[in-house]
């Protein structure tokens, strides 16, 4: 960008460029511009020895990055660009062809774009409500499963049941003892030798059954 092009820019654009050089320290191209402007104001450059001049510029660049550079104002930078002391390389793009057919097609398809956008925004709350309802249904389903869970026996319960069954006496022995006790109770009401004989027979039957 030449001095003439910079002067043709609005005051707002000129200040934006000046502010860019004052605040940006990441890119050396901008810091170098500020360093040269500061050295010119201090009448340190230009000098005949270009190598020595470059060393002075690099030293000022390091000082600017460290926050110790020479003071430069927005007006100093605008003045340097306006006189042509500094210039910025820019890329100028020129339109050489425009697809009017494609543009007209898009314009026809989206002529009611504002209405389509408003309708799309109205659909979003409905989707969120539906998802919320589904989420509640899932939670209720999970609660039902948790309610039915206690009725299902686990392995430990099965093992305890098996152990209790193993400790119980055989079915035949259990029934024989109950039968023997009933016989003793019925015979206990009798008197005389018949009762004693019956009792001995009952005890002998019990011993036979236990074996």
């Amino acid at each position: 960008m030449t001095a003439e092009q910079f002067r043709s820019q609005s005051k707002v654009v000129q200040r934006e460029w000046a502010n860019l050089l004052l605040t940006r320290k990441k890119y050396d191209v901008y810091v170098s511009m500020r360093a040269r402007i500061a050295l010119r104001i201090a009448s340190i450059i230009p000098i005949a020895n270009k190598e020595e001049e470059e060393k002075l510029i690099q030293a000022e660049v390091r000082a600017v990055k460290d926050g110790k550079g020479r003071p430069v104002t927005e007006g100093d930078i605008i003045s340097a660009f306006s006189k042509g002391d500094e210039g910025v390389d820019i890329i100028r793009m020129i339109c050489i062809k425009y697809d009017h057919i494609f543009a007209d097609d898009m314009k026809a398809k989206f002529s009611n774009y504002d209405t389509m956008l408003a309708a799309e925004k109205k659909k979003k709350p409905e989707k969120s409500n539906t998802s919320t309802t589904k989420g509640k249904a899932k939670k209720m389903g999970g609660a039902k499963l948790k309610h039915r869970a206690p009725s299902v026996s686990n392995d430990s319960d099965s093992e305890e049941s098996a152990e209790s069954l193993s400790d119980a006496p055989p079915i035949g022995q259990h029934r024989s003892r109950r039968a023997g006790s009933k016989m003793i109770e019925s015979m206990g009401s009798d008197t005389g030798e018949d009762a004693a004989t019956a009792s001995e027979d009952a005890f002998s039957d019990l011993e036979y059954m236990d074996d």
Side-chain angles (χ1 to χ4, degrees):
M1 184 168 55
T2 63
E4 184 180 357
Q5 290 173 333
F6 184 82
R7 289 194 299 269
S8 66
Q9 303 298 317
S10 65
K11 297 297 182 182
V12 175
V13 175
Q14 292 180 6
R15 286 196 296 270
E16 287 293 331
W17 277 109
N19 183 64
L20 179 68
L21 265 68
L22 286 173
T23 58
R24 296 295 178 87
K25 298 180 181 181
K26 182 177 180 180
Y27 302 102
D28 289 345
V29 61
Y30 297 129
V31 182
S32 297
M33 288 182 187
R34 174 178 170 173
R36 287 192 294 268
I37 293 171
L39 293 175
R40 288 193 194 98
I41 294 173
S43 300
I44 298 175
I45 62 171
I47 58 177
N49 190 339
K50 296 303 177 183
E51 291 184 1
E52 188 65 26
E53 181 178 308
E54 185 61 28
K55 290 179 180 179
L56 294 172
I57 295 172
Q58 292 303 318
E60 181 63 20
V61 167
R62 290 190 294 271
V64 171
K65 289 185 176 182
D66 293 338
K68 300 177 181 179
R70 297 174 184 273
V72 177
T73 64
E74 186 179 278
D76 295 333
I77 295 174
I78 292 174
S79 176
F81 278 116
S82 298
K83 292 187 296 183
D85 293 337
E86 295 292 339
V88 181
D89 295 332
I90 60 173
I91 299 174
R92 185 179 181 184
M93 300 181 67
I94 301 174
C95 179
I96 59 175
K97 188 175 181 180
Y98 188 77
D99 192 345
H100 293 278
I101 297 175
F102 175 76
D104 293 338
D105 183 59
M106 296 297 291
K107 183 178 180 181
K109 288 181 178 179
F110 296 97
S111 58
N112 59 339
Y113 179 76
D114 294 336
T115 305
M116 295 169 60
L117 185 62
E120 184 66 22
K121 289 181 178 180
K122 289 181 179 180
K123 291 180 180 179
K124 289 182 179 180
E126 294 178 0
K127 291 181 180 179
S128 61
N129 292 335
T130 304
S131 61
T132 304
T133 305
K134 291 181 178 179
K136 291 181 179 179
K138 289 181 180 179
K139 290 181 179 180
M140 292 176 66
K144 289 180 179 180
L145 290 175
K146 290 181 180 180
H147 180 70
R148 290 194 295 266
S151 62
V152 180
S153 60
N154 52 25
D155 295 338
S156 61
D157 293 336
S158 301
E159 291 177 359
E160 291 177 3
S161 300
E163 290 176 0
S164 60
L165 290 175
S166 63
D167 294 337
I171 297 175
Q173 294 180 4
H174 182 67
R175 289 182 178 177
S176 352
R177 290 175 182 174
R178 292 183 59 186
S181 62
K182 287 183 179 180
M183 291 175 66
I184 294 171
E185 290 175 358
S186 62
M187 293 178 182
S189 59
D190 296 337
T191 56
E193 294 180 358
D194 294 337
T197 304
S199 298
E200 290 176 359
D201 294 338
F203 278 113
S204 62
D205 291 338
L206 285 174
E207 291 176 357
Y208 175 77
M209 291 179 182
D210 290 340
D211 294 336

